[in-house]
Amino acid sequence: MAGRAARPRLSCFRQQYQVPNDKAILYKSSVAFSASFKSQIQDSQSDQADFDRSEMSESGPSHLKSSWRQKFGLRHSKSPKRSSSPPAVSSSSTPPTSSVTQVGTPSAVPFLTLNAHPVFDLSAPKSISVPPTSPAAPIINPLLQSSLDQLSDKERTTIEKFLPHGTIEIQSALQAATDAANDKQKACLDKRWSFILNGKKVILRERADKVIHWLDRFKSIGDVASNADPVHVGLPWAGIRFLLETAMAESNQMAALLIGCEIALYMASRLQVYVEFWQKLPVETSQRNLEASLANMYAFVLKFLARALLVYDTSTIKRTLSAMWQIDEVTKFENEVDKLAVKVQNDASNCDRNAHFQQMQDVLTELQKQHQMQISLDRLHLKIDLDKIKYAPGAIFNSSDGIHRTCHPKTRIDLLTQVQEWAQQPDGKSIFWLHGGAGTGKSTISWTFCKWLTDQKEMASVQLGASFFFKRGEGERGSSKRFFPTIVRQLITKIPGLDVLVAPVIESDPFIFDKAIGEQFLRLILQPLQDLSIRKDNLPTLVVVADALDECEEQDSDNNILKLWSQLSQRTAVNLRLLLTCRYEPSIRLQFRKLSPDLFENINLIDAVSSSTIQKDLSVYLNDTLLSIRERFNNYLIMDGCLDDEDDSQDNWVNSDTIRELVEMSVPLFIVAATICRFIEEGSDPQKRLEEILRNKTVAHMTQMEKAYLPVLAYLTDSTVNDKTRKERCRDFRELVGSIIVCAEPLSKESLASLLNMSVKSISLLLAPLGSVLHIPANLDSPVRTFHLSFAEFLLTDEAPTQPFEVYTPSAHLALSRHCLRVMSSPGGLRENICDLEHPGQLRHEVKSTIITGRLSHALQYACRYWAQHVKNGPRNDSEDNDLHDNGKVHNFLKEHLLHWIEALSLMGYVSEAIHLLLALQSCVSKVASSLSAFLEDARRFVLTYRHIADVAPLQLYLSAMIFAPHNSLVRTVCGQSPPQIQPHLQIPTEWGPALQSLEGHVKEVRSLVFSPNGSLLASGSNDDTIRLWDVQTGREIQKIEGPYDFDNLVFSSDELLLSSGFWDLTIRIWDIQTSQEIRKLENGSSSEILVCSPDGSLVASTFEERTIRVWDVCSGQEAQKLEGRAKVLQLIFLPCGSLLASVCGDATVRLWSIVAGQEIQKIESLDIYGRPAFSPNGSLFAFCSADDTIRLWDIQSSREVKKLEGHSSTDNYLVFLPNGSLLAAIEFDGLIVQLWDMQTEKRVQRLERHSEPHTSLAFSPSGSLLASVSASTPQIIGLWDIQSICSTQKLEGHSQTVYKTAFSPDGHLLASGSSDNTARLWDVKTGQEIWKLEEYFSGSSEIAFSPDGSFLASGSYTGDVRVWSIQTRQEVQKLDCDASQTKEIVFSSDGNTLASRDSDGMIWLWNVQTGQEVQRVKSVRSSRPLYFNDNNSLIVFTDREILEIGDEVTRKPNDSHISIGERGDWIQRGGQRLFWLPPEYRGRSEIHGDVLALSSATGRVSIFRLSDF
C-alpha cells in the first residue's frame, strides 16, 4: 500500500516526546510550561490518533518500523553509530521560561513524589514535562537503544511490531490488557484452576490479580510522563494485550501465560525504579556500569516477551495448540532475571549513595511487599526443599550428639596461631593440610579452631563456613556420600542467595544425595557458587573444616574429595578455605603432589612440631587437669568432713615426678593422656586410680594403649568379688560393649535398649564405669560412642579370647544379627504399608521425613540396614551357630518379611543396598542350604527387576511387582500374591529370563553403551545431552555428566578414571568420572566414528575425515601422531604393547601402524570383508564376515587365516568380541539377530532373535557375563541381560516358515506355536523338545489359545476354520463351522465351556465347546480391542462408543472410564491418581473402556487389566 504524507504537526509532535541522554542539552521545565505543554498534547490527541491509524493501515510493517524509530530517535543495530558530540539546539526552540542544563547529566527529568518521598511514586507517578527540541537535532534514548541492540533481528522486529504509537495507544493497550486480564481472572475463578509449579500449588486467579495490579500501576503513570520513561515506551503493550486476550483451553497454558506476564511486569516495574535513579546520577564509571546492567536486564525482559509474541504471530491453529511459554521457560526466565536484578542492585549500590538512593530503596521495598505474599510462599517451599537435604548431623561442629573437646588453653598455641593467621590472610592459600598419626590430637585441634571461628564477631573477615568430622564405623559420618550435602546445608546459612540456587537442584532430582560425590559436588556446590551474583568483597572468608578425612570408608573417596575441592578457589568468586586433617595416607599424599604448591600449606604434627613442644604441651595439659581433679577431690573431702581445710597432706600425690612419668607414657599420643585423665577423674578415689596407672608403667611388654586401657577394665577382674559376679560382669560387658563397638553406626541408650532388649536403666548402670573410654551422653537420644577407635581395636579379637574382657568378633555380630531379626519381626516391627501411605502410587519423595522416622524407629532402621551385614560377619557357614540354613532364622524371616524389608529400605532411601546385602548372604550360604540359596537368588532377581519402581513408589512391591513377576518366582509364591482388585489377562513368564533389569533415566535415545574395564560401571550416552553412569550390580544411576551436545562414542580408559566422548561438534572430550569434570577438549576437526584408548590410558586414537587416524596424548591434550591412509577406516585397536595400532580399511586391507615412527609397518591385503569387522581384545586376531556366509579369523602377526566359523547366515553383520575373548558376537545391522560363537569350540552357542525389537546399541561386560542393549521400541531405556541365561535358553527349531503366534499353557509347562508353514506345534518348555505337530486341516494357523485348565488347544486359520484339540489324546474334538474370513482372535471363557472367535470382518461367534453348537452371533462389531470373558462367563467387547456384554443376551452401556495412562506411559492411573507401574516391556498403545485397560506393546504383547475399586 502506498504511504500517505504526514501532517505538518507530526514532526513537532514526535520531537516533543524524546527522552534526553547524558550527551544532550536538556531543559528544565517550569510548572507553567508543563501545563502549557500538556494542554498542547491534549489538543493534538485527535490528530495524532488519526495519523497513527492512517500510518498503520497504509504504511505496512516497514513504514511502521521506520516511523517508530523516528519517533524515539533510535538507530538500527547495523547502522553506523551516531556521533557522540551533542546536537546543536536552535535558540528558537527554547522556551523563554527555561534555563539550559549543561551536557553530562540527565537530571533535567524531574522526579515524582510519593507521600514523604519526593522522588518516586509507586502507585501514580505524576506527569513529567519535557520541552520540545529542534527538529534538526533529534535526541535519542541510549538505554532503550542499547537494550534493543542486544536482540536478534527477529526478536527486535517482533517487539517493534507490537509497540503502540503515542500516549493514547499506550493507554488504550494498557486498558485493553487490563480488561483481558480481568477476563482471565474470571475464567480461572469459574474453573477453579490451579497448577503445580516447582512442587507447590499455584492458584491461577491470584496470578491474574497480580497481572492486573502491575498493569494498573503502569496505567497510572500519566500521559506525558510515560514518554519520558524508556521502560514505559519500550514495552510492547499491544502485544501484551493480545497475549492476555488469547484463548486458553488448558490450565498449564493459562499458568504459563499468567505467571510469565506477572513476572515480566513485576521486573519491568523494578526496572523502571532503577532507571529513574540512574537518570539522576552524574556521568562516571559507576553510572555507566549501572546503565549497562539496566540494558542487560531490559533486553532480557524484551527477549522473553518476544518469545511469546512469536508464537502469537503464528497461525490460529498453531497458536491454539501451543502455549505462549512453556512452564520451564517461565521458571528459567524468573531465575535468570533475578540474577540480572541482583547485578543491577550491586551496581546501584556502587554509585553515589545520595538521598535518591535511599528513596529508590524505599520504593523497591514497597514493590517487593506487593509481591511478598508469593515470595513468602516461595520461601516456605524453599525451606521445605532444603529440609530434604540428607546430611550427617553428628558430623557438624557443636552437634548435640558430638564429643566436644578443645585444646587446653596453654597448649598448641604456636600451631593454632599459625592456622588462625592462614585463615585471616586475604590472599592466603586455599587449603591447609594438617596431618599426623593416630592419637596425635588432630581432631581436638580442628574442634578448637572451629570454636575460634565461631567466636568471631558476625562482621569479622573470617568465619566458620561449614564442618564435617569424619568417623569410621559411625554410619553417615564415615560416608563420603554425605560430605557435600552436609557442607552445602551449612553454607546456605552463610552465603546469601545460595539457597535459591540449591533448592531447584533438589527439586529436579530428589535422588541427588545418592549419586556419586562428583555429581553432588558439581550440582550442589560448584555450579551454584559459580551462578551466584555476589561480589567477593561482600562476603567474609569462609573456612570449611574437614577432620579425619582418612576415616572416610569408601575406597578413594578421600582422594576424590580433595581433588574436587581444589577446583573451588579457581572457579568461584566466593572466598572458601579448607582446613583438612588426616593421617598421612598414600592416596591423599599423592593427590597433594598433583596440586600446585601455591594452593596449600602443609604441616606434619610429628615432624613440624618438635618433640620438646609436644612434651611441654602434654606436661601442661596433664598438670592442669590433675591439679583440677585434685582440687575437686579435696573439696569433696572437706565438705564430707574427712579433711581439714588447712591440711595439705593430700596435695603431694600430684607432683612434677608424677607428671613426668605420665608424659613419658603418653608421648606423642594425646589420646593416651586424655584417657588417663578421664580414668582418674571418673573414680571415687583419684589418687588410687593414679597409682593403678603408674603401676603399669613398669610393665615392659605392654603397649601404650594397654597401659591406658587395662586399668579402666580392671573392675571386670576384681579379685575381691566372687567368680559368679566376675563372670556376670564380663558377660554383660561383652554383650553391651561388644555390641557398641561392632555396631555399624553408634546408637543411643534408648535405641540400644530397644535393639538389645534391655532396659535403659540396666544400660546406664553397665556403662557407668566406662566414662573414660566411652562418650556417654546424659540425653537418652544421643549416641554412645568410643572416644577413639583404638579402644575397639584393643577389645576385639578374631581368635579365641584369652582375656575375660575380650570380645570375640563373630559372636558379637551373631548376637546383633539375631537382635535385628527380632526387632524387625516383632509386632511393632515391619509390616505392609508401614507409613500408611494414602494410595499405592504415592511417590517416596512425597512422604514426609517425620512420618518415616515416626513409623520406623532408629533401632528398626538400624536393623533393616545392617542385619545382613552382621549375619555375614558372624560365625562361618560350617559353624553350629550359623543361621544361614534351610528354614533357619534368616530363611524364615525372608519368607515372611522380604517385601516389608524392601519397602522399609525404600522409605529410608536405601533400596539399592538390598541387592548388596542379598549378595553378601548368598556368598555365605553353604551348599547344603539349597532352599535358602534358591530363595536368595530369586529375591536378588526380584529386587534387580523392581528396584527402580520400589525406589520411586515403595508400595508397588505389592502391586506391580506381584502382577508381573514370573509365575514360578519364589518371592511371588511365598511372599505375596497378585492384588485381587486387579485382574490381569496377560502372558506372564514362567521363570526369570535373561533380562536382569531395565535402566531408566534418559529421556531421549541412547546412542552409545560401554562397560568400564572391571565391569562395575556401565556408561550410556544419549541424545538428551547426558552421559549416565550406572552401577551394574544394582542398576542404580550413580552419576550424570551433562554436556552441550549429543554424546556419540564412549570409551573407558584402562584405569577407569577417564571417559572420552566423541561429539558432533568435531571435538573429543575427556572426562574425569570421579568428579564429573571435563579435563580435556581435543579439537579433532571432524566427527569421529571410532574412538579407542591405549592399554595404559595415555593415548586416544580417533578418525579424521574417514581416512586419517589422529593419535592424542591424554595428559597434554596435544596431537601425538597423524597417520595418513588411503581408504576409509572401519575399525581401530591398540595392540597390548601400546605402541602399535591396527586398522581395518575400506579397501579390504588390515594395516599395522607404528605410533612412534608414524608410519605403516605391515599390511594384509585382498581380504573378502563384509559388514563391520572386529579385533580380539588382545589384538592378535582379526575377524570379518565373508561373502560365503562364513566368519574368518586371521592372525595379524603371521598374516594367516587361523579359523573359519561356518553356519553364519548373513554378511550384513558387525562383529564384536566379548572383552574376555571367549565369545564372538555377530550382530545384524538392524539388531534383530545376535549370534554368539564360542572361540574354543568354534561352534555357535546361541542365536538371540528379537522379532520386533531391533537393537540400536549393544555392549558386553568385560567378563562376558552381561549384555547391555537398547531396543528401537524404547530407545531411552537400557536393558541388562545375563549371557549365561541367554546361552542356556532353549532354542525351539522345527518350523520352516515364519512363526506368527505363540501361547503358553496356564501352568507354563507347554508352549504352542502357529506358523505360516501350515502347522501348529506343541513344545516342552523345560526340555525344548517338540511333543506334538498338528498338520491336518491347517492352512496357516493365525490364532491359538489354551483353555483355562490346559486340557484343550483351540486354533484359528486364515480360511476362518476354528478347531478344538484335546491335549491328552492329541485328537481334534470339535470343528466349529462358520462362514468366516480369516480368524483374528479366539478366547476361552473362564470356565472353559465357551469359545469365542472373531474374524477379520468383525463377526463374533460364541460356541459351546462340549457340543460344538453356536450359542450366539453378533454381526460387524468393529473394534481393535482384545476380547475377554468376565467372571460371569459373558464376553466383553469394546467399541469406540460402547461396551457390549454378550451372554444369553447382548447388553450395551457407554464406555466412560476414569482409567488413564500416565504421560510417559509407565503408570496406570485411576481418577488421575497413580495406581500401578508398568515395566518397559509392557508399555505401548493403550485402549481404555470402563474398568478395563488393554495394552499392546511394540513386541506384540497384548495385556488386559480389569480394575475394581481400591
Side-chain angles (χ1 to χ4, degrees), residues 1168-1198:
D1168 184 23
I1169 299 176
Y1170 284 80
R1172 178 179 170 181
F1175 288 101
S1176 63
N1178 62 8
S1180 62
L1181 295 178
F1182 162 64
F1184 61 91
C1185 296
S1186 180
D1188 60 357
D1189 291 340
T1190 64
I1191 297 175
R1192 298 175 182 263
L1193 287 87
W1194 282 61
D1195 181 89
I1196 293 178
Q1197 296 292 335
S1198 64

Side-chain angles (χ1 to χ4, degrees), residues 1416-1433:
Q1416 184 71 267
R1417 180 188 301 192
V1418 181
K1419 296 182 178 180
S1420 301
V1421 179
R1422 295 294 180 181
S1423 174
S1424 60
R1425 290 79 173 178
L1427 303 174
Y1428 89 98
F1429 281 90
N1430 62 16
D1431 294 338
N1432 296 324
N1433 295 301

Side-chain angles (χ1 to χ4, degrees), residues 1210-1228:
S1210 173
T1211 59
D1212 189 23
N1213 276 235
Y1214 66 92
L1215 304 179
V1216 179
F1217 276 95
L1218 271 65
N1220 62 2
S1222 62
L1223 296 174
L1224 174 68
I1227 307 160
E1228 289 192 5

Side-chain angles (χ1 to χ4, degrees), residues 579-791:
L579 173 68
L580 174 67
T581 73
C582 62
R583 300 183 189 185
Y584 199 52
E585 297 290 343
S587 61
I588 300 178
R589 184 171 69 247
L590 179 63
Q591 184 57 38
F592 269 107
R593 287 180 179 175
K594 296 178 182 180
L595 300 181
S596 168
D598 297 332
L599 198 61
F600 68 94
E601 292 190 29
N602 171 21
I603 287 185
N604 188 324
L605 282 176
I606 302 299
D607 298 336
V609 182
S610 65
S611 178
S612 60
T613 300
I614 294 174
Q615 290 181 18
K616 177 185 175 183
D617 285 348
L618 282 169
S619 178
V620 169
Y621 169 74
L622 286 165
N623 186 68
D624 283 11
T625 305
L626 291 180
L627 287 176
S628 176
I629 293 172
R630 186 186 68 183
E631 181 180 358
R632 289 196 300 273
F633 179 62
N634 288 346
N635 289 337
Y636 170 77
L637 293 176
I638 292 170
M639 291 174 61
D640 207 33
C642 299
L643 182 67
D644 188 86
D645 194 13
E646 297 181 359
D647 186 359
D648 59 357
S649 61
Q650 290 294 320
D651 292 347
N652 59 2
W653 61 275
V654 177
N655 53 53
S656 58
D657 291 337
T658 303
I659 299 301
R660 178 178 49 78
E661 290 183 73
L662 293 176
V663 168
E664 290 175 359
M665 291 178 64
S666 304
V667 169
L669 303 179
F670 277 78
I671 184 61
V672 173
T675 302
I676 289 172
C677 290
R678 284 193 297 266
F679 174 70
I680 293 172
E681 186 176 20
E682 287 287 326
S684 58
D685 187 346
Q687 183 177 357
K688 182 180 179 181
R689 288 208 161 193
L690 175 60
E691 292 170 357
E692 293 176 16
I693 291 288
L694 292 176
R695 276 199 299 270
N696 288 332
K697 178 182 181 297
T698 60
V699 182
H701 66 272
M702 281 191 181
T703 65
Q704 276 185 297
M705 301 315 300
E706 286 176 326
K707 293 175 182 179
Y709 290 138
L710 280 176
V712 177
L713 304 177
Y715 81 98
L716 294 172
T717 56
D718 187 356
S719 59
T720 62
V721 299
N722 58 47
D723 289 345
K724 181 179 179 182
T725 302
R726 282 199 302 271
K727 289 180 180 178
E728 288 177 351
R729 283 183 182 178
C730 291
R731 183 199 62 206
D732 294 342
F733 174 85
R734 289 192 298 268
E735 181 180 358
L736 176 58
V737 178
S739 296
I740 291 173
I741 61 179
V742 300
C743 269
E745 62 181 48
L747 297 174
S748 65
K749 288 182 185 179
E750 198 169 65
S751 296
L752 284 169
S754 175
L755 183 63
L756 303 180
N757 202 23
M758 300 173 66
S759 68
V760 174
K761 180 181 178 181
S762 298
I763 290 176
S764 298
L765 291 173
L766 290 170
L767 293 180
L770 301 172
S772 57
V773 288
L774 295 176
H775 174 62
I776 309 170
N779 184 351
L780 296 181
D781 294 329
S782 297
V784 178
R785 51 166 56 97
T786 60
F787 280 110
H788 201 266
L789 285 174
S790 57
F791 182 60

